[in-house]
């Protein structure tokens, strides 16, 4: 049986989960359609999802479609959970992007469409809610062509818009001249047939199928998930236009993990897409970046609306796997297919979790660690001295989700401090420092010299050697490099230092010493601990001499609002340190594009409706880091032994003195 792994994507409230329910009902998987408002949908299983009527975690459910088993993946629409969408994209064969016939193309729709086009994922567009008051047809098609892509092929036309009687009528294939223009732009054979007057419906359909599967064109369907109008036509498009999953079941095992959950007994459950080979229970397989091995203890595959136990899973399918205790989202199982790349920017905000009066800190630490395992873009930062834990975020809604999850699943009551931006530090110039064995004030049996230099923006951290690799055991060089990277997590102002080159300029050690008839003399022999101990002191001193500048995350924004509200909008943008770079008119609307500090995006979101009579639309995404130019330089509390204070550092680090 052919497989198709299908994603449902949309801006929040476009009707994505309702469409999922309708598709399952049309396929006979469920007898009654669940309602987002009533909180009884098949895929929104979290309590908070039911309360708020939004999707937070991706969910997998499957249904048969005329010989094709469709694994349907419902994904979040709210931009705070864009990381959840990111993990799913790499395992999909095709996508249905849902657009509201009332609201039309919205900010998140544009973000998603740009990503789908960049990844060349075959995509059908479904314009939902044609039964709602205010539903539009021609206007939405024009919006799609202007704001998403001109490469669209209308497959149906809608009648009775805005009423429960709204229906769709198939568009005759050769009838639309616009369709022919779109298809011939990528198909010379089709163009020749048109010129020679030998064009047939079969040739036109074949070109549509081929170009849809190559993500060159995007068929557009209209309908209503609430009434079922147009859903049959969409299902036909899913079956005929989107490519089936491929993969060699007899090839080497290769799978990608896109979700990690926990079972009833607390065991890890990995959701994985099989790209090649066949996995069986009790198989031992390598996984993750370090190639650790684990044994598969359980397999469940999706079919007929649920997951069932199986003894194997072959290429093309999605499975739930147990037994891989250290598995993480994004890990490859078996042979890596491709390097896992982040499609969307990492979180740029951070907040401190504040436990309630009766919350055990150990239990909170464990719960947060488990949440971070399920979401690799939720970064945890533990401060042992202050006994605090910080989490990184995309937006304010994530706070509520984390808070509700800790309460519902772990029984832990927490609050949060004010959200702050996650800054970075970059070196201003070149600085170097060194510490030598047995020369005051170095108490470590290690010689280390380091030079820090700026590097191009976006290059990260590079470590190089100016000393001979054979000058001392490789383990000592590795200890220095690992410690350099760890120390750079907290620069002179406490932020991660990036875009720099660190060069080791001096090295030295004392060889292993032993006395006659006695064992190893620790007091006269260098160890890895010596190099790990002295490296932070040398590196921080080199950073001091180089100097660093703090950079804050900036978002690129796009605001579309009524032109007559521009006068009220511009002063507020200035107050929020937003810089409009381009302004243009579109019909009766004004479109502003520019940059705004990430820390001010939430305030802009809150104020925009009042400034624009509720008609303003904001789209924002991470753009770059820029030097902090307003207010005081933000400082971040340190969580290490503070090599900025030599005396404090040496008091806190285990060390051996002289000998």
């Amino acid at each position: 049986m052919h497989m198709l792994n299908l994603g449902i994507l949309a801006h929040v409230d476009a009707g994505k989960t309702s469409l999922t329910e309708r598709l399952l009902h049309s396929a006979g998987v469920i007898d009654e359609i669940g309602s987002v408002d009533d909180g009884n949908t098949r895929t929104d299983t979290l309590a908070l999802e039911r309360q708020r009527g939004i999707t937070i975690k991706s969910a997998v459910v499957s249904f048969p479609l005329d010989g094709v088993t469709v694994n349907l993946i419902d994904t979040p629409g709210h931009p705070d959970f864009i990381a959840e969408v990111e993990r799913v994209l790499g395992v999909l064969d095709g996508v249905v992007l849902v657009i509201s016939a009332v609201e039309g193309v919205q900010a998140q729709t544009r973000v998603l469409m740009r990503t789908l086009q960049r990844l060349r994922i075959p995509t059908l567009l479904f314009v939902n809610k044609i039964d709602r008051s205010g539903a539009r047809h021609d206007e939405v098609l024009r919006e799609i062509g202007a704001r998403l892509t001109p490469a669209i092929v209308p497959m149906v036309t809608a009648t009775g818009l805005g009423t429960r009687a709204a229906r769709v009528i198939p568009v005759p294939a050769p009838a639309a001249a616009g369709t022919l223009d779109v298809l011939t732009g990528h198909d010379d054979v089709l163009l020749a047939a048109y010129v020679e007057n030998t064009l047939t419906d079969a040739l036109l359909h074949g070109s549509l199928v081929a170009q849809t599967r190559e993500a060159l064109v995007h068929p557009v369907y209209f309908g209503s998930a609430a009434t079922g109008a147009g859903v049959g036509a969409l299902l036909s498009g899913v079956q005929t236009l989107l490519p089936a999953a491929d993969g060699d079941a007899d090839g080497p095992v290769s799978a990608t993990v896109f979700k990690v959950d926990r079972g009833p007994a607390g065991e890890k459950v990995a959701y994985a897409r099989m790209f090649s080979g066949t996995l069986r229970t009790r198989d031992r397989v390598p996984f993750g970046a370090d190639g650790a091995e684990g044994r598969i203890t359980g397999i469940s595959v999706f079919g007929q609306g649920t997951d069932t136990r199986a003894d194997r899973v072959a290429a093309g399918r999605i499975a739930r796997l147990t037994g891989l205790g250290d598995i993480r989202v994004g890990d490859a199982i078996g042979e890596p297919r491709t390097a896992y790349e982040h499609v969307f920017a990492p979180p740029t905000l951070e907040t401190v979790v504040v436990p309630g009066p009766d919350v055990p800190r150990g239990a909170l630490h464990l719960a947060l660690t488990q949440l971070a395992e399920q979401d690799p873009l939720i970064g945890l930062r533990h401060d042992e001295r202050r006994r605090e834990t910080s989490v990184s975020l995309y937006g304010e809604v994530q706070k509520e989700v984390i808070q509700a999850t800790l309460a519902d699943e772990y029984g832990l009551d927490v609050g949060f401090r004010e959200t702050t931006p996650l800054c970075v530090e970059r070196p201003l110039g070149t600085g170097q420092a060194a510490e030598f064995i047995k020369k005051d004030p170095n108490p470590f049996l290690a010689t280390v010299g380091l030079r820090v230099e700026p590097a191009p923006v976006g290059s990260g951290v590079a470590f190089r050697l100016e000393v001979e690799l054979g000058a001392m055991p490789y383990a000592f060089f590795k200890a220095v490099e690992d410690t350099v990277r760890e120390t750079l997590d907290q620069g002179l102002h406490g932020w991660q230092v990036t875009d720099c080159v660190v060069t080791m300029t001096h090295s030295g050690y004392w060889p292993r010493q032993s006395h006659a008839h006695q064992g190893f003399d620790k007091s006269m022999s260098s160890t890895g601990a010596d190099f790990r101990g002295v490296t932070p002191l040398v590196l921080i001193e080199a950073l001091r001499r180089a100097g660093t500048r703090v950079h804050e995350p900036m978002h690129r924004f796009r605001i579309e609002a009524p032109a007559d509200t521009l006068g009220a909008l511009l002063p507020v943008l200035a107050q929020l340190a937003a810089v409009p770079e381009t302004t243009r008119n579109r019909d009766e609307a004004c479109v502003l594009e520019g940059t705004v500090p990430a820390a001010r995006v939430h305030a802009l979101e809150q104020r925009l409706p009042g400034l624009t009579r509720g008609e303003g639309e904001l789209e924002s995404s991470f753009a770059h880091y820029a030097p902090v130019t307003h207010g005081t330089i933000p400082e971040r509390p340190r969580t290490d032994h503070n090599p900025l204070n030599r005396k404090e550092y040496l008091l806190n680090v285990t060390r051996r003195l002289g000998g």
Side-chain angles (χ1 to χ4, degrees):
M1 177 177 282
H2 292 299
M3 303 293 303
L4 171 63
N5 298 299
L6 179 69
I8 306 289
L9 275 62
H11 184 101
V12 66
D13 288 336
K16 174 175 46 61
T17 299
S18 299
L19 177 60
T20 300
E21 292 288 308
R22 174 62 65 178
L23 293 175
L24 295 177
H25 182 265
S26 298
V29 170
I30 57 177
D31 296 327
E32 186 176 347
I33 296 175
S35 166
V36 174
D37 293 335
D38 295 339
N40 60 355
T41 59
R42 184 65 175 266
T43 53
D44 285 349
T45 56
L46 298 180
L48 190 62
E49 290 180 314
R50 298 183 185 278
Q51 293 164 16
R52 291 186 62 103
I54 62 173
T55 302
I56 295 170
K57 292 288 185 182
S58 58
V60 183
V61 66
S62 121
F63 63 88
L65 182 62
D66 293 339
V68 177
T69 296
V70 179
N71 289 323
L72 192 64
I73 306 178
D74 186 16
T75 60
H78 196 287
D80 276 13
F81 309 107
I82 197 67
E84 190 73 25
V85 178
E86 173 186 348
R87 316 178 186 138
V88 175
L89 294 180
V91 304
L92 298 179
D93 303 305
V95 162
V96 173
L97 180 61
V98 184
I99 301 167
S100 167
V102 180
E103 289 83 9
V105 174
Q106 296 170 278
Q108 187 72 353
T109 320
R110 288 164 52 85
V111 172
L112 292 169
M113 189 63 182
R114 282 199 301 266
T115 305
L116 292 169
Q117 289 176 310
R118 185 167 67 247
L119 298 178
R120 299 292 298 274
I121 298 177
T123 302
L124 308 182
L125 306 180
F126 183 74
V127 182
N128 191 26
K129 302 184 180 181
I130 62 171
D131 59 314
R132 297 285 183 89
S133 176
R136 301 165 298 148
H137 182 278
D138 294 347
E139 295 90 334
V140 172
L141 277 178
R142 283 196 295 269
E143 279 187 35
I144 293 171
R147 303 185 63 190
L148 293 185
T149 172
I152 57 174
V153 177
M155 303 298 290
V156 299
T157 184
T159 63
L161 291 173
T163 70
R164 296 286 291 182
R167 294 291 182 267
V168 300
I169 303 170
V171 173
T179 296
L180 195 56
D181 290 341
V182 169
L183 293 177
T184 54
H186 300 285
D187 190 336
D188 291 340
V189 173
L190 190 68
L191 179 59
Y194 172 72
V195 171
E196 297 167 4
N197 201 27
T198 58
L199 185 65
T200 64
D201 288 357
L203 190 61
L204 196 63
H205 180 73
S207 181
L208 175 63
V209 171
Q211 293 192 46
T212 300
R213 293 180 178 181
E214 292 178 16
L216 296 173
V217 301
H218 306 284
V220 181
Y221 295 85
F222 282 76
S224 167
T227 67
V231 173
L234 175 65
L235 281 171
S236 177
V238 167
Q239 180 184 359
T240 59
L241 298 177
L242 294 179
D246 58 4
D248 181 6
D250 297 322
V253 170
S254 178
T256 298
V257 176
F258 65 91
K259 178 179 178 179
V260 173
D261 218 336
R262 286 194 176 265
E267 74 278 13
K268 275 192 180 180
V269 180
Y271 288 69
R273 157 74 189 267
M274 293 291 297
F275 289 100
S276 172
T278 300
L279 262 182
R280 299 171 178 82
T281 52
R282 295 183 294 278
D283 277 356
R284 290 194 66 84
V285 289
F287 65 90
D290 57 1
E293 279 201 351
R295 186 185 298 277
I296 303 294
T297 59
I299 297 174
S300 296
V301 296
F302 292 91
Q304 298 295 327
T306 186
D307 61 291
T308 55
R309 299 284 291 185
D311 60 359
R312 68 182 62 197
V313 57
R317 304 203 70 154
I318 288 177
R320 299 171 79 245
L321 307 174
T322 55
L324 307 178
D326 296 323
I327 198 78
R328 292 181 62 85
V329 171
D331 278 353
I333 299 176
E335 291 191 4
R337 176 170 170 261
T338 56
Y340 183 74
E341 294 183 8
H342 292 308
V343 177
F344 300 98
T348 55
L349 302 172
E350 185 178 57
T351 186
V352 174
V353 183
V354 180
D358 300 321
V359 173
R361 293 184 180 272
L364 177 59
H365 183 278
L366 177 62
L368 287 171
T369 301
Q370 290 185 355
L371 290 183
E373 289 174 350
Q374 299 172 27
D375 189 340
L377 296 185
I378 289 183
L380 295 184
R381 185 172 184 265
H382 301 293
D383 187 338
E384 297 297 338
R385 292 189 298 169
R386 297 174 183 81
R387 304 187 69 192
E388 294 177 349
T389 299
S390 302
V391 297
S392 55
L393 305 167
Y394 277 95
E396 295 295 318
V397 175
Q398 273 186 296
K399 278 187 181 180
E400 184 179 346
V401 172
I402 294 172
Q403 186 177 44
T405 303
L406 289 173
D408 296 343
E409 297 186 14
Y410 298 93
L412 303 175
D413 176 35
V414 303
F416 299 93
R417 291 192 194 149
E418 182 182 1
T419 303
T420 57
L422 271 171
C423 299
V424 299
E425 294 181 46
R426 290 185 175 126
L428 283 171
T430 298
Q432 59 184 31
E435 299 260 357
F436 297 91
I437 292 179
K438 299 307 289 180
K439 289 190 177 180
D440 291 339
N442 178 14
F444 300 99
L445 298 183
T447 292
V448 172
L450 298 171
R451 183 174 66 248
V452 179
E453 302 167 276
V457 172
S459 61
V461 175
F463 181 79
R464 299 173 182 168
L465 296 178
E466 264 185 14
V467 294
E468 291 290 338
L469 188 58
M472 63 182 188
Y474 173 75
F476 295 162
F477 285 113
K478 188 71 168 63
V480 172
E481 180 177 358
D482 290 347
T483 307
V484 162
R485 296 186 183 279
E486 181 181 333
T487 304
L488 288 176
D489 282 341
Q490 301 181 76
L492 303 183
H493 300 277
W495 304 103
Q496 182 181 21
V497 181
T498 187
D499 299 334
C500 63
V501 176
V502 179
T503 304
M504 189 169 183
T505 58
H506 297 80
S507 67
Y509 76 109
W510 279 4
R512 182 183 181 93
Q513 301 289 325
S514 60
H515 300 289
H517 310 297
Q518 295 182 17
F520 172 47
D521 186 349
K522 294 182 179 180
S523 66
M524 298 292 289
S525 308
S526 298
T527 67
D530 288 297
F531 288 90
R532 288 189 293 271
V534 75
T535 296
L537 291 172
V538 177
L539 181 58
I540 287 296
E541 182 57 32
L543 274 176
R544 269 196 231 263
R545 296 174 182 179
T548 65
R549 176 174 290 162
V550 176
H551 292 64
E552 64 180 334
M554 303 293 291
H555 278 223
R556 175 156 292 280
F557 72 82
R558 181 185 185 277
I559 295 176
E560 185 168 337
D564 61 354
T565 64
L566 188 60
L569 191 55
L570 288 176
V572 173
L573 291 175
Q575 292 172 15
L576 297 174
V579 180
E581 296 172 355
T582 63
T583 306
R584 65 181 188 276
N585 292 325
R586 203 184 74 177
D587 298 327
E588 297 181 357
C590 179
V591 179
L592 286 80
E593 294 185 357
T595 57
V596 60
R600 310 293 179 88
V601 171
H602 183 59
L604 182 55
E605 289 173 339
Q606 291 180 314
R607 299 190 65 176
L608 187 63
L611 296 167
T612 61
R613 303 189 297 273
E615 299 179 43
E617 180 183 290
L618 171 66
E619 176 185 335
S620 74
S621 60
F622 173 77
H624 60 271
Y625 287 93
V628 175
T629 57
H630 52 276
T632 58
I633 296 176
E635 301 278 340
R636 194 188 198 195
R638 303 190 71 88
T639 60
D640 58 8
H641 294 305
N642 192 17
L644 287 169
N645 185 323
R646 186 182 185 92
K647 183 176 180 181
E648 177 185 339
Y649 178 82
L650 292 176
L651 285 172
N652 283 292
V653 174
T654 302
R655 65 192 189 281
R656 292 186 309 271
L657 294 175

